[in-house]
Amino acid sequence: MNFEIPIGDWVEAGVDWIQDNLTPLLDAIADGLDLIIDAFENLLLVFPPLLLAALIVLLATWRVGWRFGLFAVGAMVLLFGMDIWDETVVTLALVIASSLVALAIGIPIGIAMARNDKVEMIARPILDLMQTMPPFVYLIPAAIFFGLGKVPGAIATLIFAMPPAVRLTNLGIRQVSVEHVEAGKAFGCTSSQLLFKVQLPLAMPSIMAGINQTIMLALSMVVIASMIGAGGLGNTVLTGIQRLNVGLGFEGGLGVVLLAILLDRITQSYGSIRSRSGPGLVQRLRNWAGRRPDTQAGTQAGTGTAGT
């Protein structure tokens, strides 16, 4: 049976058309993304390494707890001990920049899907394609359109990491109960007020889960993107593979794992219910500093009343 559908030829024709007609747009996208990546990298590198490590430990302790703070201390010691701190900072900057752009595009698409069934019907197969496509495939158009370096790596990363933010934003808004929506309408909410004051706050745990998954996928893709010059910890792993240096590759992989655990637990804490684990470190310090005089005064008053 001589039957062929030349999808590959069509894709190549589309790529050629984009290169011939949309070069100014591609340059503008590359310049904007390069600016964002450099801004985050410079912001992280402006801190002395020990100060930045201490800030990460304090953030981990504040958001998750003192036990995870101890883990963060151990992770920082390992990163410094393996001499991969600079690579970790580069990877962190790339993950943050890619994730922010992915969320800035993905969350509005998720909101549009939740509010319009036709948008969902169109977007769902595109998301299926984005999530099932092997991640290495994204490197090809990124390298063709944007060359080699951090920018094509970030573009491949944000495309690969965007679907969870879209899906879970859509799911979270659609799971808001009809009673809450009807109550908002009964109190005279406009469409935008209903979205921002009722639906989005109630859908926030699901949206935060999407943000967490986006960051995790971005971190995994950043390692793959090192093949087109994204740098960071992925470059350490790639160098280990090229030299057949198991130790170097393991150190780069361990750095990725430590960074993934830190980012995962910290971002999860923003979507979890804190009442189960009690007040955070800052709240406990406020309670200690702010209520102690009242407690002492209450104790004195109680003593005086008892004496009377």
Side-chain angles (χ1 to χ4, degrees), residues 75 102 119 188 201 253 306:
V119 175

Side-chain angles (χ1 to χ4, degrees), residues 71-95:
F71 169 81
V73 171
M76 295 299 112
V77 171
L78 280 174
L79 292 174
F80 280 111
M82 292 187 293
D83 196 21
I84 54 173
W85 177 256
D86 290 340
E87 291 81 358
T88 303
V89 171
V90 171
T91 299
L92 182 60
L94 199 56
V95 168

